[in-house]
C-alpha cells in the first residue's frame, strides 16, 4: 500500500527490489549458459514476413481479448463501443509492459472505464473477472496439454505446482461470488486496521453478484479466453518460423501454456529473466539449444511489446483531450 503521501511504502519498494534482483540474477545465469555466437545470428537473420504474421496474430489476440472485456463491461452496465474498449485494453497492455508491476495496466483500465460512465466498483469488477477468467483458462489449458507427457519429461513437481495454481485460481473465481466469504474478508481487514474498506467491498460484492447468474455469458467468455490463448501459442509458432527454428507445433501447445503460467507468477520484474530461463529449460527438453530457446522467448516477448506500443500511442494522443476536459471541469460553477 502507498503511504499517506502517495509514495510507495517500504514494503512495496522491498518487493520491487526483490523482483529486480531475481531478474538480474537470472540474466547473469543466462549470460553464462548461452552461446551468444549462436543466439545473435538467429535474431539478426529473422524473416520479416513471419515476424509480420506474428505481430498480426498478436494484435488479433488482443482484439479478441478486448471483446472479452467488453462483454464484461456490458454485463456491468458500462456500454462502450468495441473500438474504445480496445483502445483502453491496449493502454492497459502498454502499462503492464512498461511499469515495474504488471497491475499498472489493470489500474489504467479501471480509471478509463470509470471515466466513461461506470462506477469504480463496476469497472473494478470487470477487470477482476477478466483477469480471473484468463488465469483459470490458461492454467486449465496448461493442465490438459501437459498431462500426457508429465512422466516422459519428468515434470511431476512442476505439474503438481500447476495443479495447485489451477485449483487456487478456480477456487478464487468461485469464491468472489459468495457473499459469506466477504464477511470473513471484512473481519480480517478490520483486525489489521483496514475496516474503512468495508463500504467499497460491499459495493464491489453487489456488482459481482450481478454476474452470478449469467452462466451463458461465462461459458462464452471461457471459450473466448481459450481462443486468445491458442492464438498466442500461434504467435510463438510464427516467431519460431521467423527465426528458422524447427520445433514441432505440438511442443508449443505443450510448453507455451506452462511457460505463461510460470511467467505470470509475481517473482520477477514483469517476467523478465523467468520467461527466458524457463523457456531454455522446457524447450531444451526437445533438443533446442539454449541460445535458440533464448532467441525464441525474447523475440516473442518483443513482438508482444511492439504490439502494446499501440496503447502508448493512444495514451499520448489522449493527453491534450484530457487536459481540455480538466480545464473545462475547473471552469464549471460549483
Amino acid at each position: 500500500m502507498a503511504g499517506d503521501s502517495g509514495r510507495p511504502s517500504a514494503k512495496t519498494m522491498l518487493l520491487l527490489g526483490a523482483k529486480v534482483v531475481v531478474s538480474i540474477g537470472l540474466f547473469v545465469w543466462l549470460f553464462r549458459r548461452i552461446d551468444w555466437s549462436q543466439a545473435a545470428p538467429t535474431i539478426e537473420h529473422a524473416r520479416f514476413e513471419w515476424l509480420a504474421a506474428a505481430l498480426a496474430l498478436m494484435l488479433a489476440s488482443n482484439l479478441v481479448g478486448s471483446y472479452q472485456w467488453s462483454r464484461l463491461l456490458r454485463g456491468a452496465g458500462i456500454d462502450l463501443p468495441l473500438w474504445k474498449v480496445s483502445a483502453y485494453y491496449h493502454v492497459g497492455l502498454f502499462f503492464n509492459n512498461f511499469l515495474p508491476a504488471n497491475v499498472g495496466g489493470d489500474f489504467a483500465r479501471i480509471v478509463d472505464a470509470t471515466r466513461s460512465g461506470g462506477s469504480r466498483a463496476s469497472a473494478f469488477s470487470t477487470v477482476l473477472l477478466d483477469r480471473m477468467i484468463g488465469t483459470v483458462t490458461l492454467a486449465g489449458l496448461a493442465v490438459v496439454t501437459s498431462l500426457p507427457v508429465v512422466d516422459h519429461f519428468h515434470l511431476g513437481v512442476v505439474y503438481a505446482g500447476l495443479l495447485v495454481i489451477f485449483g487456487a485460481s478456480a477456487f478464487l473465481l468461485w469464491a468472489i461470488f459468495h457473499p459469506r466469504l466477504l464477511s470473513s474478508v471484512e473481519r480480517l481487514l478490520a483486525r489489521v486496521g483496514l475496516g474503512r474498506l468495508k463500504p467499497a467491498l460491499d459495493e464491489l460484492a453487489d456488482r459481482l453478484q450481478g454476474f452470478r447468474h449469467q452462466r451463458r455469458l461465462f461459458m462464452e467468455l471461457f471459450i473466448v479466453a481459450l481462443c486468445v490463448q491458442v492464438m498466442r501459442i500461434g504467435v510463438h509458432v510464427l516467431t519460431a518460423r521467423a527465426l528458422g527454428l524447427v520445433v514441432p507445433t505440438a511442443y508449443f501447445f505443450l510448453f507455451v501454456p506452462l511457460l505463461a503460467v510460470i511467467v505470470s507468477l509475481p517473482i520477477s520484474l514483469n517476467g523478465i529473466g523467468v520467461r527466458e530461463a524457463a523457456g531454455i529449460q522446457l524447450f531444451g527438453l526437445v533438443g533446442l539449444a539454449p541460445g535458440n530457446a533464448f532467441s525464441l522467448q525474447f523475440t516473442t516477448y518483443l513482438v508482444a511489446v511492439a504490439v502494446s506500443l499501440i496503447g502508448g500511442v493512444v495514451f499520448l494522443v489522449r493527453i491534450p483531450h484530457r487536459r481540455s476536459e480538466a480545464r473545462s471541469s475547473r471552469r464549471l460553477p460549483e
Side-chain angles (χ1 to χ4, degrees), residues 3 5 10-11 26 47 63 65 83 109 113 157 186 195 216 229 249 270 275 280 300 303 308 321-322 328:
S5 63
K11 183 178 179 180
L26 285 171
R47 295 175 60 182
L63 293 176
W83 69 266
R109 285 202 282 163
V157 175
E186 289 176 344
R216 185 173 179 179
Q229 297 305 328
T249 301
N270 294 347
R275 178 185 300 101
I280 286 175
T300 306
V303 167
S308 76
H321 177 67
R322 287 187 172 179
S328 298

Side-chain angles (χ1 to χ4, degrees), residues 231-316:
M231 293 169 81
R232 290 178 180 169
I233 293 172
V235 172
H236 281 75
V237 174
L238 292 172
T239 303
R241 284 286 187 93
L243 298 174
L245 303 178
V246 180
V247 180
T249 301
Y251 288 128
F252 288 96
F253 280 86
L254 168 62
F255 294 137
V256 172
L258 182 56
L259 270 170
V261 172
I262 293 171
V263 171
S264 68
L265 298 175
I267 57 177
S268 67
L269 189 64
N270 294 347
I272 297 172
V274 172
R275 178 185 300 101
E276 293 75 18
I280 286 175
Q281 294 298 317
L282 291 175
F283 281 97
L285 296 174
V286 294
L288 200 61
N292 288 335
F294 175 88
S295 300
L296 172 60
Q297 291 307 308
F298 190 66
T299 306
T300 306
Y301 171 65
L302 292 180
V303 167
V305 169
V307 174
S308 76
L309 291 175
I310 296 171
V313 173
V314 171
F315 179 76
L316 291 174

Side-chain angles (χ1 to χ4, degrees), residues 13 23 44 76 92 122 131 171 249 269 326 333:
M13 294 303 296
S23 290
E44 289 173 2
S122 296
R131 274 280 190 173
F171 173 77
T249 301
L269 189 64

